[in-house]
Amino acid sequence: MCRELRTPAIDSNHAEDKFSMTREATISKAEAYFDSGAFKADLAHLVAIPTESQSPDRAETLLTYIETEMRPLLESLGFTCRALNHPKAKAPFLFAERIEDRSMPTIFGYGHGDVVRGLDKNWSEGLSPWILTERDKRWYGRGVVDNKGQHLINIAGLRAVLETRGKLGFNAKYLIEMGEEVGSPGLRELCHEQRDLLAADVLIASDGPRLNAERPTIFLGSRGVITFDMTITARQGGHHSGNWGGLLSDPAIQLAHALASITSPTGQIRIHEWVPKELPAAVRRVLTDCEVDGGPDGPSIDLEWGEPGLTPAEQVFGWCSFDVLAMKAGVSETPVNAVPPSAWARCQLRFVVGVDPGEVLPALRRHLDRHGFSMVQISEGGDELFNATRLDPEDAWVTWVAASLAKTTGKQPAILPNIGGSLPNDIFSELLNLRTIWVPHSYPGCSQHAPNEHLPVAIAREGLAMMAGLYWDLGTGHTPPLDRGS
Ligand SMILES: [Zn+2]
């Protein structure tokens, strides 16, 4: 059976008036779809498919999402779909395109249909990851924000334009993957091999959080991340601290000193290769009106922590941060009277554009050797390295998209040069050479990856209106110039 978005009952008296050919009509269509309950029902249907990519026995389910949900849905909007396989990926990628006129801008969309594990037992009473449930003006369910709800909003926005204008007025390409939560295996290789097929001008996609629940947000890239271990192995086995303490070096103390040499006591990074030379003026400008706020349940910010002189927004969106994620020496659960034989810490650097990821660990090595810590071994932590990316916040397309969102919502969107977290955005920005403009439909307190993942109803409705308006505007012929053929 062919899957299509549910259609709300539309008052047919309106069908003929000239209002039906306008931006407002497009947004009204999207809102009517939402207000009728049809969007909620469509999202509930997708949430009920347990697309847990971290679970080895979900391969069939991943394929179902692509073949029996996304493909017919996009085909119903006039997209031509094909599955793209890559040996590293657990499920095929779905590639969809709707080419109207090659001279018009081509907008690249991206979403992922897989979710992290449901963690069924840990959700609050009465909630389940696979049953979309409304409570306190929020929809609970696995994937409502990461990422099913977000790409459904965008696809519904495309539909609203098609129903109003009869065409998009631009070309659309869409890539949906089913392995984002396991590190997007094969995505990088696929985009490299298929770069002609995937060629486009601008990425407009949705993932991650807004700056806060109320404020529409655009982000233009992501911080990079590198995770690594610092280990000191002094000798085999522990030795009695009464007989040997004072005679044997203590790796726990040495490692604590080594870590302490990396930052000031208040967290300022002291390895100069780990921070950018400066905070660019354009980045500072767009961040002036951005306030970091985790909401009522969020932690309070330690203003004295990190790089001195930066606002919280500059700290997390414009600068780098170093953290010790975990550390261990001796038998921490049941301490014994012994000089521990070894000490270990897992560390992480989040970094912005301007830091050379290939220099992070060599610079650490030099720093440790210089400070007398040559006994510390450094090894990569296994997680995939993400590069830092950022489109110029003053790029004409950024200003143009922000104006479109402002027109729809009456609010000035926050423009973040990058999110604090990490995405494989360089695949799009570097490999596919796209301007990357993300319009998130979530907020920092959404509990993605945890029990009780939820989407505030107001964000979903506003997101739908924003995307309908934005896609409408993209087809008006009044977009900023493209620099093709460069
Ligand atoms: Zn995720």
Side-chain angles (χ1 to χ4, degrees):
M1 193 185 70
C2 186
R3 282 271 314 141
E4 293 181 16
L5 296 182
R6 288 165 176 78
T7 313
I10 290 174
D11 180 354
S12 57
N13 291 335
H14 286 298
E16 294 303 315
D17 65 30
K18 59 179 188 283
F19 175 75
S20 69
M21 273 301 288
T22 64
R23 186 179 200 273
E24 291 71 36
T26 308
I27 293 170
S28 298
K29 279 206 171 77
E31 287 173 342
Y33 167 56
F34 189 92
D35 296 339
S36 70
F39 175 78
K40 183 182 180 184
D42 282 329
L43 183 55
H45 178 84
L46 297 181
V47 165
I49 306 167
T51 50
E52 301 163 294
S53 54
Q54 295 160 331
S55 168
D57 36 77
R58 293 295 194 196
E60 275 302 307
T61 315
L62 299 179
L63 191 62
T64 297
Y65 192 87
I66 289 288
E67 289 298 336
T68 67
E69 301 299 328
M70 290 298 122
R71 179 193 282 267
L73 172 54
L74 286 158
E75 282 175 351
S76 76
L77 303 185
F79 281 76
T80 307
C81 295
R82 59 190 272 199
L84 299 176
N85 291 293
H86 192 278
K88 282 177 89 177
K90 283 207 234 178
F93 297 81
L94 184 72
F95 175 68
E97 65 179 341
R98 185 187 155 101
I99 304 299
E100 296 186 357
D101 178 343
R102 299 218 174 253
S103 68
M104 299 191 298
T106 301
I107 305 301
F108 192 92
Y110 161 85
H112 67 90
D114 65 316
V115 295
V116 295
R117 288 179 196 280
L119 308 171
D120 303 40
K121 292 189 181 66
N122 301 322
W123 288 55
S124 296
E125 185 74 31
L127 298 178
S128 153
W130 315 119
I131 303 169
L132 189 145
T133 306
E134 183 166 342
R135 187 178 285 181
D136 302 329
K137 297 187 178 147
R138 295 164 166 182
W139 290 341
Y140 286 84
R142 178 60 84 220
V144 288
V145 294
D146 188 13
N147 170 267
K148 292 172 177 175
Q150 301 218 29
H151 59 256
L152 186 64
I153 285 171
N154 294 4
I155 293 169
L158 290 168
R159 183 181 73 163
V161 173
L162 285 167
E163 286 179 346
T164 311
R165 185 182 269 146
K167 57 181 182 174
L168 292 175
F170 57 91
N171 305 309
K173 296 188 178 183
Y174 223 103
L175 186 69
I176 293 179
E177 70 157 316
M178 299 304 293
E180 197 269 350
E181 302 295 1
V182 287
S184 300
L187 177 63
R188 186 173 298 275
E189 294 83 354
L190 181 97
C191 288
H192 182 69
E193 289 158 18
Q194 301 281 2
R195 55 192 182 282
D196 292 337
L197 180 69
L198 305 184
D201 298 303
V202 184
L203 173 136
I204 291 178
S206 299
D207 201 5
R210 293 174 164 199
L211 179 64
N212 57 51
E214 289 74 35
R215 193 156 176 213
T217 299
I218 294 172
F219 67 84
L220 309 173
S222 59
R223 287 205 291 188
V225 62
I226 179 164
T227 306
F228 53 93
D229 290 357
M230 288 172 58
T231 311
I232 299 176
T233 307
R235 59 191 70 84
Q236 285 292 326
H239 292 274
H240 192 278
S241 55
N243 299 333
W244 293 96
L247 299 176
L248 301 180
S249 66
D250 183 333
I253 295 174
Q254 289 174 316
L255 187 62
H257 277 281
L259 290 167
S261 76
I262 293 174
T263 75
S264 75
T266 53
Q268 181 184 23
I269 294 171
R270 285 180 163 159
I271 300 176
H272 65 85
E273 293 91 340
W274 282 19
V275 292
K277 297 227 166 5
E278 55 167 8
L279 190 65
V283 170
R284 186 163 291 212
R285 261 196 299 280
V286 291
L287 291 177
T288 44
D289 70 344
C290 293
E291 202 163 319
V292 180
D293 174 13
D297 307 327
S300 62
I301 292 168
D302 295 313
L303 291 171
E304 73 286 358
W305 191 257
E307 181 70 17
L310 299 187
T311 66
E314 290 167 349
Q315 201 83 246
V316 71
F317 302 120
W319 208 250
C320 306
S321 58
F322 171 68
D323 283 288
V324 178
L325 306 181
M327 59 195 295
K328 191 168 178 327
V331 190
S332 49
E333 302 78 17
T334 52
V336 293
N337 290 319
V339 179
S342 62
W344 165 89
R346 174 149 296 177
C347 305
Q348 188 172 71
L349 179 72
R350 301 262 178 187
F351 58 94
V352 292
V353 167
V355 171
D356 177 358
E359 261 302 297
V360 169
L361 296 186
L364 174 63
R365 180 75 273 159
R366 292 193 295 273
H367 170 89
L368 292 174
D369 291 348
R370 210 162 44 236
H371 288 80
F373 300 114
S374 52
M375 79 292 281
V376 177
Q377 288 176 308
I378 305 166
S379 53
E380 288 189 42
D383 293 348
E384 203 190 342
L385 180 142
F386 286 101
N387 289 321
T389 56
R390 169 200 287 163
L391 173 63
D392 177 3
E394 291 178 351
D395 183 276
W397 276 82
V398 176
T399 314
W400 187 89
V401 170
S404 168
L405 304 188
K407 189 172 176 186
T408 302
T409 62
K411 303 177 196 173
Q412 205 50 49
I415 299 176
L416 305 181
N418 45 258
I419 45 166
S422 300
L423 285 172
N425 190 56
D426 65 319
I427 295 177
F428 307 118
S429 64
E430 312 294 322
L431 252 178
L432 297 181
N433 199 23
L434 302 172
R435 286 180 166 84
T436 52
I437 300 176
W438 295 82
V439 185
H441 310 308
S442 180
Y443 80 115
C446 67
S447 300
Q448 76 183 100
H449 293 195
N452 304 330
E453 177 178 346
H454 62 273
L455 168 62
V457 178
I459 291 182
R461 189 176 190 278
E462 189 174 61
L464 206 46
M466 280 182 345
M467 297 313 289
L470 177 57
Y471 289 132
W472 172 269
D473 292 342
L474 284 165
T476 55
H478 299 297
T479 51
L482 297 167
D483 36 24
R484 285 181 175 170
S486 58

